[in-house]
Amino acid sequence: MLIAADKFKGSLTAAQVAEHVTAGLRRGASGTVRVETLPVADGGDGTVDAAVAAGFERREARVTGPLGEPVTAAYALRQDTAVVEMAEASGLRHLPPGVFAPRTATTYGTGELLRAALDAGARTIVFGVGGSATTDGGAGMLSALGARLHTADGSPVGPGGGALRELATADLSALDPRLARTAIVLASDVDNPLTGPKGAPAVYGPQKGASEADVAELDAALAHYARVLEEAIGGRAAAYAQAPGAGAAGGIGYGALVGLGATFRPGIEVMLDVLGFAAALERADLVITGEGSLDEQTLHGKAPAGVAAAARARGRRVLAVCGRLAIDRAALNAAGIERAYALTDLEPDPERCMAEAGPLLERTAARLAADASL
């Protein structure tokens, strides 16, 4: 059996999920069970951890956090391939409880983290984006990598998306020259454009504390940012603003596409390739996937859906474990998942369920083993 599950956000890392499922399977199986684990991620929180679990080396760097304070951020490296997770530098995790900064949070530290990966010899970078505290279109990231973004009086534009309304000129000619020799893959589970009704501010701004007025201001500022970049580098900047993935992680996808020469791919597809999922799948008879909440979002590019699609294509059975199940059996089956087992079946109280996720997951996996006649 191959356990290829994502994290249970707020409770267990993907590696911990694999450990508890393994223990439960062995407890509930009637015979000997051979288990292989491959923690997965879709480019968001936990992407570096999944890469490290698959054999990458964990590296750390001190970078600028979303509020401007120094933070320690990790990336993963194997030979000349790096996995960089923007949330490590610019994620919501770095904000104090109850504090949001939708207009001023910066991605500058993400640029510093990318530079650290380049310094370590990376020539292929899987750039996982998600879980961001920012809506600055990647302007901070580009500045950290050498871009010159200035106001009308020639001073550097301030941090955050709100300050981009003051942007007057952009010069990308001084971007780190190593970027031109590096393959950068933008790995994301969302395909939103930069602005508009489905853009980064409108769809994801409220999750970062943006009011209705903030959303309108940020959308206008990012549209202005794209126009200034179009003047600087030509019409392709406008095309990139509407490209799939441009709106990912507060628009950092746009910055990666327009400034870093990144190519966009669904995050789970990229990560399955990087983690060696295809080879592990060939050795498996049954695949167990999952995440904290199996819901409608799962069906649109999240890790379990990607795992199930790849497994179904190779004729493998797929079962799932989750904290809570919010889609029906028909939707699960359409996604290639035969059946899902939720921790809330054992403990309906959400707080207790999250606090006791490990033991509950072992009991759930034991039940799965019995049902599957393992």
Side-chain angles (χ1 to χ4, degrees), residues 9 45 65-67 69 85-102 105-106 130-135 204-210:
K9 192 169 184 177
D45 291 317
L67 300 183
E69 80 296 347
E85 178 186 329
M86 73 88 62
E88 281 283 330
S90 310
L92 285 165
R93 71 180 76 165
H94 291 302
L95 299 183
V99 173
F100 295 97
T106 178
S132 73
T134 58
T135 311
Y204 302 108
Q207 299 173 10
K208 304 169 190 184

Side-chain angles (χ1 to χ4, degrees), residues 260-348:
L260 310 186
T263 56
F264 170 76
R265 285 184 63 195
I268 185 58
E269 291 183 10
V270 178
M271 289 306 298
L272 291 182
D273 285 348
V274 169
L275 300 175
F277 179 77
L281 184 61
E282 289 301 313
R283 298 187 290 270
D285 300 303
L286 173 69
V287 177
I288 299 173
T289 190
E291 64 179 347
S293 178
L294 282 180
D295 52 33
E296 283 295 328
Q297 288 191 2
T298 303
L299 306 179
H300 299 285
K302 292 290 188 178
V307 168
R312 179 172 57 179
R314 301 298 298 172
R316 303 300 193 269
R317 293 177 62 197
V318 182
L319 301 174
V321 292
C322 58
R324 74 179 189 109
L325 179 61
I327 47 178
D328 60 27
R329 186 76 171 263
L332 280 174
N333 294 164
I337 299 172
E338 186 178 312
R339 182 174 178 182
Y341 294 78
L343 305 191
T344 52
D345 291 342
L346 300 177
E347 176 49 72

Side-chain angles (χ1 to χ4, degrees), residues 354-365:
M354 291 183 71
E356 301 171 12
L360 289 171
L361 189 53
E362 292 187 19
R363 289 171 56 192
T364 297

Side-chain angles (χ1 to χ4, degrees), residues 61-92:
R62 290 291 282 176
V63 302
T64 304
L67 300 183
E69 80 296 347
V71 300
T72 299
Y75 65 97
L77 185 71
R78 183 165 64 190
Q79 298 177 350
D80 65 352
T81 297
V83 175
V84 175
E85 178 186 329
M86 73 88 62
E88 281 283 330
S90 310
L92 285 165

Side-chain angles (χ1 to χ4, degrees), residues 214-264:
D214 292 334
V215 167
E217 178 184 343
L218 288 166
D219 195 72
L222 289 179
H224 174 68
Y225 169 56
R227 287 193 295 271
V228 174
L229 285 178
E230 185 175 357
E231 293 173 4
I233 66 170
R236 69 183 188 276
Y240 281 132
Q242 297 303 313
I252 200 170
Y254 175 70
L257 292 169
V258 76
L260 310 186
T263 56
F264 170 76

